């Protein structure tokens, strides 16, 4: 995880998260393994779709399985999202926060390098955590690999 600035986080302070100039404004909801995907839902059930840029197209978040999609994110990356929420008291759940980051990252990436080995574009954007004075206390890079032909979101995580 990358860090920006010399500002020390205050665990009692108020923090906001911004990505591409958009401030997070999520609300708390109940946690579930992969919210929106029940055990009986097929891997191809669509959870959400976002317009993506550079390259353009759509990014489809499907329930997926152990190799891609919302179940894959829930199993392997939910705690990464929850750790940021907990550290900065963002007052939401990992699923809401992850989806907000996914949509803003694929919609306006800082970069989207292509990986020919697995035919994906990895959309990337900076997630900034700011204190009540507006100072950046931490910057994470949100990464969202998307299949170039399937347009499926493989995973999404902060680094």
């Amino acid at each position: 995880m990358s860090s920006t600035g010399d500002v020390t986080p205050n665990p009692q302070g108020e923090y906001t998260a911004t990505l591409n100039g958009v401030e997070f404004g999520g609300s708390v909801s109940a946690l579930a393994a992969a919210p929106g995907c029940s055990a009986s839902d097929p891997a191809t059930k669509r959870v959400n779709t976002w317009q993506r840029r550079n390259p353009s197209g759509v990014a489809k978040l499907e329930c997926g399985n152990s190799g891609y999609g919302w179940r894959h994110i829930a199993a392997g990356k939910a705690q990464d999202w929850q750790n940021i929420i907990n550290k900065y008291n963002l007052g939401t759940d990992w699923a809401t926060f992850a989806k907000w980051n996914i949509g803003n990252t694929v919609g306006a990436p800082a970069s989207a390098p292509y990986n020919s080995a697995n035919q994906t574009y990895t959309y990337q954007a900076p997630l900034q955590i700011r204190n009540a004075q507006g100072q950046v206390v931490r910057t994470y890079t949100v990464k969202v690999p998307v299949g170039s032909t399937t347009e499926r979101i493989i995973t999404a995580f902060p680094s």
Side-chain angles (χ1 to χ4, degrees), residues 84-97:
I84 295 171
I85 292 162
N86 294 347
K87 183 172 184 175
Y88 298 104
N89 303 313
L90 296 177
T92 191
D93 61 278
W94 78 267
T96 301
F97 192 56

Side-chain angles (χ1 to χ4, degrees), residues 29-44:
S29 65
L31 290 176
C37 296
S38 71
S40 62
D41 287 334
T44 55

Side-chain angles (χ1 to χ4, degrees), residues 4 7 12 15 18 31 38-39 48 58 64 67 69 79 89 109 111 120 125-126 129 131 143 153:
T4 299
V7 180
Q12 306 307 317
Y15 296 94
T18 59
L31 290 176
S38 71
N48 210 329
V58 296
Q79 192 60 56
N89 303 313
S111 65
T120 61
I129 306 297
N131 64 16
K143 297 182 179 182
I153 293 172

Side-chain angles (χ1 to χ4, degrees), residues 4-147:
T4 299
D6 297 320
V7 180
T8 304
N10 174 357
Q12 306 307 317
E14 290 185 24
Y15 296 94
T16 57
T18 59
L19 197 143
N20 292 324
V22 178
E23 186 172 315
F24 177 73
S27 59
V28 176
S29 65
L31 290 176
C37 296
S38 71
S40 62
D41 287 334
T44 55
K45 178 186 173 190
R46 187 84 43 90
V47 177
N48 210 329
T49 302
W50 292 275
Q51 288 295 293
R52 59 187 171 104
R53 306 279 184 280
N54 303 320
S56 295
V58 296
K60 300 182 289 190
L61 181 58
E62 297 176 345
C63 284
N65 54 37
S66 62
Y68 78 95
W70 196 227
R71 290 180 179 125
H72 180 70
I73 295 167
K77 303 302 179 185
Q79 192 60 56
D80 295 341
W81 294 112
Q82 192 63 51
N83 289 344
I84 295 171
I85 292 162
N86 294 347
K87 183 172 184 175
Y88 298 104
N89 303 313
L90 296 177
T92 191
D93 61 278
W94 78 267
T96 301
F97 192 56
K99 288 178 186 176
W100 177 81
N101 276 279
I102 291 167
N104 282 292
T105 298
V106 301
S111 65
Y114 181 69
N115 181 338
S116 59
N118 62 8
Q119 298 180 328
T120 61
Y121 290 97
T122 300
Y123 291 81
Q124 301 177 46
L127 168 64
Q128 295 180 328
I129 306 297
R130 297 176 182 272
N131 64 16
Q133 293 74 40
Q135 298 168 303
V136 175
V137 297
R138 183 75 185 255
T139 298
Y140 297 89
T141 299
V142 176
K143 297 182 179 182
V144 184
V146 177

